[in-house]
Structure formats: C-alpha cells, structure tokens
Amino acid sequence: MNHIALKMLMGDKGKYIGIVMGLTFASLIMTQQPAIFLGLMTRTFSFISDVGLPDIWVMDPKVQFVDDIKPMQDTELYRVRGISGVEWAMPMYKGLLKARLTDGTFQTCIVVGLDDATLIGGPPVMVKGNIEDLRRSDSIIVDIDGALDKLGKPSPTPGNKPIPLEIGDSLELNDHRAIVVGIAKVSRTFQAQPVIYTTYARAKNYAPRERKLLSFVLVKAKKGQDLSELTRRIKESTGLSAYTRSEFMDLTYQYFMKNTGIPINFGISVLLGFIVGAAIAGQTFYNFTLDNLRQFGVLKAMGTSNWVLLRMILLQAVLVGSIGYGMGVGLTALFGYSMRNTILAFRFPWQLLIFSGAGVSLICIFAALISIFKVIRLEPAIVFKG
Amino acid sequence: MNADGLAVRCQNIVKIYDTGDQKVTALDQVNLDIAMGELMMLVGPSGCGKTTLISVIAGILDQDSGSCELFGENLITMPSNDKLNFRAKNVGFVFQAFNLLPSLNAAENVSVPLVINGMKRAEAERKASRVLEQVGLGERLTSLPAQLSGGQQQRVAIARALVHNPKLIVCDEPTSALDHETGHTVMALLKDVALQKDRALVIVTHDARVFNFADRIAEMDDGHIIKVVDSANGTQTSLKEAL
C-alpha cells in the first residue's frame, strides 16, 4: 500500500509542493534563527576562545563577563606567579580606547596589551606581518575586519568603501602615535569594535592615567596540575577570581543570557517560526487528508485496516517531513555560507541539526496525528454519499 | 455459502441515525433475502434508506438491531479485523461517483483490492490488466481517471469490483452519472461479466431505464421495503407499472 500512499501524496502536485514548502520554511526558521543566535552568543566570548595558551584567567572578583573590566594592581601578577602549580602567569590589558583616524574622526577600539616579552594572548591568525613586529616602537596589530572597514582610510570618492588600513599606516591612540605592523584575523566580538593588539607596556601608555591597569592575569598550569584545584588555590591566596577558560566563557555567556534581551528575542522568533511552520504544514497536510478522505473511505470500505491507513499517512508525513527538513537545513547552510564574510553572526553546529530535526518531526507528528484521527474515525459508508 | 443458497439474509434490520436534535429511522424492521446468482435492485425515493441498507449488507455500517448474514456469516458479531478481511475478500463495490483514486492509473486502480488482499503489486497489476481487457479497456491500462470518459471510469470501477472475484458486488447508482446509452452498456457489462451463479449483485438505482436488468426489484420507502417484484413475473413495462 506504500506506493498508493506515495502516489496519493504526489498526485496533487500543488498541495504536495505546498506541504513541502511549509515544512521547508519551518525548518529554515528553526535552524537559521538559532544559528544566528548561537553566532551572536559565541561572539560574547570569542575574545576568550581566541586566546588559546592560558588555562586559567585571573581577574577582579567583581568581574561579571569578559568586557566588564575591573582593573587590578600590577602586583597581583607577582602574587599569582608565586602560587604553586602555576607554570607561568602573564599580564593582559584590555580596554576601550578611542583611535583618531587620518580624516580626524574617532573610532572606539578594543585595545589589548600583551606581555612585552612573550606576547602571550596575541591574535590567533596573522594575515599580514608578524606578531614579533609588536616589539618595534609604536607598533600595533589591527584586526582585518577593523582594517577593512571602521579603521579604514576615507575613500577619495564620497560614498565609496574606505581604503583598507595597511602595514605602515598610522593612527592616534589617546594622542599617541601607533603604527600598523600587522593585520590579524580574530573572531568578531559582540560589540563588533575593531581590535588592536600591542604590548602591555605600550597599552598602559595609550590608556588614560589610572592607578590600576591590569585587566587579567593569564595563567598556564604546570603539567598534570588539576585546574579546579589550582583555581581554588589562586582564589584563596589572592582573593581574586580565577576561572578556567571554559568557565570564563560560560560566565560571559550566562551574563548575556540573563542580562540581555537576546535570548528572549530569538526565542520568540524561533517559537513563531515553529508555530507558523506547524500551522502552515499542519493545516496543508490536514487539508490534504480531508481532500483525500473519500479515497481513504474507499480503501477502508474495500477492507483496508486502520493500521494500514495509519502507516500510509505516517509514510506521507515522513516523506514530506524529510524533504522539507533537508531543504530547510540546506537553505540555512547556504545562507550561512553566503554570509560568511559579512558582519552577520552565524554558527551552525551539528546539535542544531538535531534541534531543527526534532522540531520538524514534531510538526509532522502533529500534522499526521490530526489526520490519522480523522481517518480512523471515518465511517467507510461515506463512500456511498454522493 | 448458506445451505439454502442465500447470499444475503436481512432480518428485522433497524438503523437509526442520531443527528443530535432528532433521531432519524433510516431502516425500520427490514427483511430481505438475496440469492446467489441473483441481481437485486433496490429502488425508491431519496432518503428512503436504500444506501443505508446497501451499507449494512456490504458490512460497512452496523445496524442497531436485527441480523444481516452474508453467506451465512453474521457480520455484526464478527471481530473488526475479521470483518475487514471478510469484506476485502468477499465484497466488491461500484460507486455512483466512481471513486477511483485520481493519482493511480486504470491498472493500478483495479489492482487495489488485490493489494489489500496481500497480493504483490506487479502480480496484482498483471491480473488487473486482464480484467480491464475483459471490460474492454485493454488499451487504457495506463490512463489516469481524469483521462477517461464517465463510462470508461465506471468500467474501471466495475473491473475493480470484479478483480478479486468477490461473492457479492454492491453498486450504488452505477448509471446515474452516465447518459442512457452508456448506462445501458454498463448495466449489460455488469450483468454479463459480473453476474455468475456463485455471486450476487445488489444495485441501488433511481434509473427506471435499467430495471429490466434486474432479477428482482425491492422498492423501499421511509425505511421499509414496501414491495418486492420478481422480473420473471412481468415485462419491463409491467415492472415499472408494478412499482
């Protein structure tokens, strides 16, 4: 009876395409919107994930997330270095400073000061130049997205794209000259501001005069050292907060989840997508069953059992569900691919495939169930009605 | 088969439809016997209970009281799965609106009862093709219902009713959607191909032009069988007059 079910489904091309399109739309919304949400949330801790070497981040106990800088005294670095189990500990400055561009306009940038000797915490990928060039005087490394856009030089033709910042170009950071010696690829941050890397000492020069300027202490644990034990020792010995890399990412992620409207906004959009998709697909599928009710009645009158009819409807639902899901997920992947070089946040982990697959399955089960109930309750005597 | 050669024995059948506001008695103490090899027509005005009676006889509607035996089996006492299997094997249907599956071609439509009875699809379609040739549609095996005329569609429906060799064929207004000539051809086909000594035909009809094909005609009104006329006792004219 399977081929009869499939022929019934595909016989009416308009309705068949309508059901598949409804499920494609639902699958697209249920995959694309969470992918944007995940991309956006990943940006909240992208700065942490870009810094690969340290095992533990040490900071002021009042820090709530990575951009919530509460500076510490430089002496904290030496206290941390003195704790047993610490292989090395390096300072890091992170702050927002205004850069004066060649046309006189200002652009707020994230300035990151790295340990002068080791340059630990530097950009993950260098596009142009070398990270060691930061040892030259007044040198900075700029992230490529900032260099191409916000820190770019104004185009001679008004309205055109800015001319990208190149190695050798200069800008002013808090009235100090800064010369670009490298272009780096870094993950976009949540605030989407350009990222500038320099040495810790130079960053302190660029930053406004303050008593405390140390943002983080980056710690590498000795080999075989239990990280949770070490973070506990750092906290106890210094009174500072210490998090493993994943704990700090989670702290930042949770802050944005609890204190911003992003989750609820995206949640609503995903929920609406689900409801609209379910309504469209469910109703179209139900209408399809209603239109075929007489045919199901004929099959029932001729001796087809409810179980066989149920299998036929489930087969129809599984088929349109699989096609709709595949198309929706494919379109989402295509969307993500086409947007890969834009500012749009997009992350498409395999777990999302399971999430949207479960969503589309729910819609199909719902649509199939209401249809099945109708067919099971159907009196075969309907076939004799004119 | 029943020892007395009866295909159908209905005794004191009562069927009441509960429409919420009121109860409508569709069949009221109906008694009817149909013999094997007999073509019985049920006639009467709209709403007189013909379709309800044919539904009860075919086992697709349960009566409220009374018994209806089909080849000696009382369907109402049968477990539902057994009833389905019994119906699938023993009853063929021909409908007023043909009720062919629009996305299946003629051979596929005719093969449906065989597939329901568990036959493999390819074999079922081969057998269906042979029956379609028997009803004169050997050239239209792959045509969809929409590509066939009304008469051809009804011939496909007849082939579908015959293909699994059932012992009872129930037809609901098989000629009402057809012109006189086509209706006459369809009835002749039913009588020639479908009617055999080990099979009974029950036909519900309004169409007085086909009364002459009947062996007996039961006239119904208001849920009762008011008259049964035996064609052996009269000509077509006298049958019409008798009714």
Side-chain angles (χ1 to χ4, degrees), chain B residues 34-222:
Chain B
I34 302 168
M36 284 299 226
E38 183 178 31
L39 195 160
M40 166 69 82
M41 280 189 187
L42 297 177
V43 301
S46 293
C48 69
K50 306 186 295 288
T51 301
T52 303
L53 181 57
I54 204 178
S55 301
V56 170
I57 289 171
I60 58 173
L61 186 69
D62 290 339
Q63 68 272 28
D64 295 321
S65 66
S67 78
C68 184
E69 286 180 7
L70 209 54
F71 317 109
E73 301 276 357
N74 193 351
L75 293 187
I76 202 153
T77 58
M78 231 182 229
S80 60
N81 269 350
D82 293 352
K83 190 151 92 174
L84 275 176
N85 291 336
F86 183 86
R87 206 161 67 212
K89 282 189 172 60
N90 296 301
V91 186
F93 294 89
V94 178
F95 307 101
Q96 177 183 0
F98 320 131
N99 283 341
L100 300 173
L101 304 187
S103 44
L104 303 187
N105 65 33
E108 288 167 334
N109 260 298
V110 173
S111 71
V112 169
L114 297 171
V115 175
I116 291 172
N117 279 303
M119 192 181 276
K120 295 266 181 238
R121 190 177 142 200
E123 192 187 342
E125 284 181 23
R126 269 197 300 276
K127 190 167 179 195
S129 304
R130 285 199 295 273
V131 180
L132 277 168
E133 278 165 18
Q134 227 179 318
V135 298
L137 287 174
E139 306 291 311
R140 308 304 300 267
L141 301 179
T142 55
S143 300
L144 292 172
Q147 296 165 328
L148 299 172
S149 68
Q152 287 173 325
Q153 287 189 54
Q154 197 58 298
R155 279 195 275 162
V156 174
I158 290 169
R160 183 176 64 179
L162 287 171
V163 72
H164 54 306
N165 206 22
K167 289 194 277 183
L168 175 73
I169 295 178
V170 291
C171 311
D172 183 39
E173 304 278 6
T175 58
S176 68
L178 308 172
D179 60 62
H180 173 66
E181 196 182 325
T182 315
H184 203 271
T185 311
V186 163
M187 280 307 301
L189 185 69
L190 267 173
K191 185 135 192 174
D192 294 345
V193 180
L195 194 59
Q196 298 172 2
K197 63 177 190 301
D198 58 347
R199 181 185 287 153
L201 256 74
V202 188
I203 298 177
V204 165
T205 186
H206 270 109
D207 190 352
R209 297 168 304 182
V210 298
F211 285 177
N212 57 319
F213 287 96
D215 296 320
R216 281 193 302 152
I217 299 176
E219 188 186 3
M220 294 187 72
D221 195 14
D222 203 19

Side-chain angles (χ1 to χ4, degrees), chain A residues 306-337:
Chain A
N306 279 334
W307 168 241
V308 172
L309 294 175
L310 184 145
R311 258 180 28 212
M312 289 171 73
I313 291 173
L314 279 180
L315 176 69
Q316 292 170 338
V318 166
L319 183 79
V320 289
S322 306
I323 296 173
Y325 169 68
M327 284 176 68
V329 165
L331 284 173
T332 304
L334 201 65
F335 172 82
Y337 183 75

